[in-house]
Amino acid sequence: MRDKRADVSPGTGPASRHADDGTAGAARHLGSLRGMPVWLKVVTAVLSLAIVGGIAFAGFWYLRLQGNISKAPLNAGGGNSETVSDATGRMQILILGSDTRDGKNAEYGEADLSAGYGKSDVMMLMDISEDNKRVSVISFPRDLLVDIPECKDGETGTEYPARSDVMINEAMTEAGIGCAVDTVNRITGLEVDHFMMADFNAVKELSNAVGGVEVCISDAVYDPDSRLRLPAGTSMVQGEQALAFLRTRHAFADGGDLGRIKAQQGFLSSLTRKIKDDGTLADPGKMLKIADVVTQNLTVDEGLASVPTLLTIGNRLKDIDISKVAFVAVPTAPADLDPNRLQIAEPAGSQLFAALRKDVDLTDPTAPATPSPSETAPPSAAPTETAPAQPPYDKALQAVAVANGTGVPGRSQEIVQALISGGFTQAAQFEATAVAQSVVYYGPGFADVAADVAAVLGIPAGQTVALPAVSGVQVYLGTDFTTGTTYGAAAALPENIVNQTAGDETCQQANPYLIVSE
């Protein structure tokens, strides 16, 4: 029986027609490729592979670096009320070195030597100016006795009461890193924007990643505690010896904490010069290598816990003149409670913190400070009363109290004398809790007196505040007014407050008791 299907001869019918027709179906597109020159096909293929490979490479490193980062809350008490642009705003970053002995750090002692969250082996405040032209690095000795505010552990919710006269390296032990941030805020009157905490392993890996860091010491030295052994003169340290150089408590100067700080600052200065000279911050390959090492051993606050943010801050630092990277130690003196511990030396400490708040160039205090947004805003209007204007008053009859919250003993006496010279002969004084900003408070009916008192001392009208509980007028002096009788005058700084800049090559003095023959 004849098949009813139509006869289809090879090479005929719909399929073959489309195959022969170069204007339709898949063959149409293949036809356009067949018309390409061979070189163009090769270039197209290579570019496609490069784009796909580049995207895959970037994605791999982004996920890797992001996955490396550990984070913790910025504060353990009052939150930071300021907002700052990571790209352009003035920024303070608290840098901490943890002494935790768990995990990779177990070889440096038993874990119970760093109970809780551990102690801060290193504490430095890095202050980047708003115009990205200056960096100040302020070191806090670990033996410094300070008052630690009430702090709350963000993980457990446990609240810890405020403590007085405690070594600053214990600030993070109970409630975590945020408590160390709150403590530094309280001491300086600043509001720290971010923190970075690294452990022992970070130092070893970073020094290896950059190929070693050059250090110098006056004599050959051996410290059995840290296992630091160096010949006299210049050496290249990395790995274990780099860590020993930063950790040693006894190898430098008189074996105290201040000699250790100067050695750490010398190490960081040398590291800064090497990274700058090698063009590391402008080399993506080198930056990725260092970023991988650092992020594996780094804990940061939530605001800093992203690769783009870290890269943005790194980009801010790459063009800074190393002569404008200033290393400073908080001025200290033997503590009254324990001569083996330290306390902030006054008035030098308050002068330093006041200069920091005013964004003074520590390498050149006479240079104009970079104005903050609040300083460039129009001044606030003077406080006014809605009641009918009062008749002129007699300055000699007005009660004016001066509260000394500067942290400088006897400071209020100088201000009282200035007020008496200004006609306010009933001025009295008393000691008060330290505060960051000076304010003139006034009770009901004393707005005009407060305005005149503020004018005598040069205190801005915006810092004149009505407070019903005050009888008359009270001048509350803060740590921003530690010298002189005119508020806002050029900040006085202790002589030689800058230990060195990143441009200085320094040689550490060896502790005579640990000098050995080479």
Side-chain angles (χ1 to χ4, degrees), residues 80 101 135 156 162 174 194 200 240 272 350 378 492 500 515:
N80 190 336
R101 264 84 168 179
V135 174
T156 67
E174 294 181 336
H194 298 296
F200 292 154
E240 291 291 347
T272 301
S350 294
Q500 68 176 91
I515 293 176

Short mmCIF file of all heavy atoms in Angstrom, two decimals, residues 80 101 135 156 162 174 194 200 240 272 350 378 492 500 515:
data_model
loop_
_atom_site.label_atom_id
_atom_site.label_comp_id
_atom_site.label_asym_id
_atom_site.label_seq_id
_atom_site.Cartn_x
_atom_site.Cartn_y
_atom_site.Cartn_z
N ASN A 80 27.65 56.63 69.47
CA ASN A 80 28.27 57.76 68.80
C ASN A 80 27.20 58.55 68.07
O ASN A 80 26.53 58.03 67.18
CB ASN A 80 29.33 57.25 67.81
CG ASN A 80 30.19 58.37 67.25
OD1 ASN A 80 29.78 59.52 67.22
ND2 ASN A 80 31.39 58.03 66.82
N ARG A 101 45.19 34.85 73.90
CA ARG A 101 46.11 33.73 73.70
C ARG A 101 45.40 32.49 73.15
O ARG A 101 45.91 31.39 73.26
CB ARG A 101 46.76 33.35 75.03
CG ARG A 101 48.13 33.98 75.25
CD ARG A 101 48.04 35.34 75.81
NE ARG A 101 49.34 35.83 76.27
CZ ARG A 101 49.53 37.02 76.78
NH1 ARG A 101 48.54 37.86 76.91
NH2 ARG A 101 50.72 37.41 77.18
N VAL A 135 47.76 63.11 59.54
CA VAL A 135 47.35 62.00 60.41
C VAL A 135 48.11 62.14 61.73
O VAL A 135 49.33 62.31 61.73
CB VAL A 135 47.66 60.62 59.78
CG1 VAL A 135 47.36 59.50 60.77
CG2 VAL A 135 46.85 60.42 58.52
N THR A 156 26.07 39.53 75.51
CA THR A 156 25.36 38.88 76.62
C THR A 156 24.32 39.77 77.27
O THR A 156 23.45 39.29 77.99
CB THR A 156 26.36 38.42 77.69
OG1 THR A 156 26.95 39.59 78.31
CG2 THR A 156 27.45 37.55 77.09
N ALA A 162 30.66 51.39 86.39
CA ALA A 162 31.84 52.22 86.15
C ALA A 162 32.93 51.86 87.16
O ALA A 162 32.64 51.46 88.29
CB ALA A 162 31.48 53.69 86.25
N GLU A 174 35.88 43.17 80.18
CA GLU A 174 34.57 42.67 80.60
C GLU A 174 33.50 42.82 79.52
O GLU A 174 32.82 41.85 79.16
CB GLU A 174 34.13 43.43 81.86
CG GLU A 174 34.99 43.14 83.07
CD GLU A 174 34.52 43.88 84.31
OE1 GLU A 174 33.86 44.94 84.16
OE2 GLU A 174 34.82 43.42 85.41
N HIS A 194 35.45 54.72 64.42
CA HIS A 194 35.63 53.31 64.10
C HIS A 194 36.71 52.72 65.00
O HIS A 194 37.48 53.45 65.63
CB HIS A 194 36.06 53.11 62.64
CG HIS A 194 35.07 53.59 61.63
ND1 HIS A 194 33.82 53.04 61.48
CD2 HIS A 194 35.16 54.57 60.68
CE1 HIS A 194 33.17 53.65 60.51
NE2 HIS A 194 33.96 54.58 60.01
N PHE A 200 48.05 38.97 67.80
CA PHE A 200 49.48 38.77 67.61
C PHE A 200 49.79 38.30 66.19
O PHE A 200 50.76 38.73 65.56
CB PHE A 200 49.99 37.71 68.59
CG PHE A 200 49.98 38.15 70.03
CD1 PHE A 200 49.88 37.21 71.05
CD2 PHE A 200 50.06 39.48 70.38
CE1 PHE A 200 49.87 37.60 72.38
CE2 PHE A 200 50.05 39.89 71.70
CZ PHE A 200 49.96 38.93 72.70
N GLU A 240 58.14 36.37 63.69
CA GLU A 240 58.26 36.32 65.15
C GLU A 240 59.08 37.48 65.71
O GLU A 240 58.75 38.02 66.78
CB GLU A 240 58.90 34.99 65.58
CG GLU A 240 58.04 33.77 65.37
CD GLU A 240 56.84 33.73 66.31
OE1 GLU A 240 56.82 34.52 67.28
OE2 GLU A 240 55.92 32.93 66.07
N THR A 272 55.38 52.60 57.46
CA THR A 272 54.74 53.60 56.61
C THR A 272 55.64 54.01 55.46
O THR A 272 55.21 54.11 54.32
CB THR A 272 54.36 54.85 57.45
OG1 THR A 272 53.48 54.46 58.50
CG2 THR A 272 53.69 55.90 56.59
N SER A 350 45.47 67.72 79.07
CA SER A 350 44.30 68.49 78.63
C SER A 350 44.63 69.37 77.44
O SER A 350 43.79 69.57 76.55
CB SER A 350 43.78 69.34 79.79
OG SER A 350 43.27 68.54 80.82
N PRO A 378 26.87 79.63 60.73
CA PRO A 378 26.64 80.94 61.36
C PRO A 378 26.48 80.80 62.86
O PRO A 378 25.91 79.80 63.33
CB PRO A 378 25.34 81.42 60.71
CG PRO A 378 25.20 80.64 59.46
CD PRO A 378 25.85 79.32 59.73
N ALA A 492 47.47 75.83 73.38
CA ALA A 492 48.85 75.63 73.82
C ALA A 492 49.15 74.15 73.79
O ALA A 492 48.31 73.31 74.08
CB ALA A 492 49.01 76.17 75.24
N GLN A 500 57.88 61.68 66.96
CA GLN A 500 58.49 61.61 65.64
C GLN A 500 57.39 61.63 64.59
O GLN A 500 56.21 61.48 64.90
CB GLN A 500 59.32 60.33 65.49
CG GLN A 500 58.50 59.05 65.47
CD GLN A 500 59.38 57.84 65.22
OE1 GLN A 500 59.87 57.22 66.16
NE2 GLN A 500 59.58 57.51 63.95
N ILE A 515 71.54 44.58 77.48
CA ILE A 515 72.56 44.64 76.43
C ILE A 515 73.43 43.39 76.50
O ILE A 515 73.86 42.96 77.59
CB ILE A 515 73.42 45.91 76.56
CG1 ILE A 515 72.55 47.15 76.26
CG2 ILE A 515 74.62 45.87 75.62
CD1 ILE A 515 73.29 48.48 76.46
#
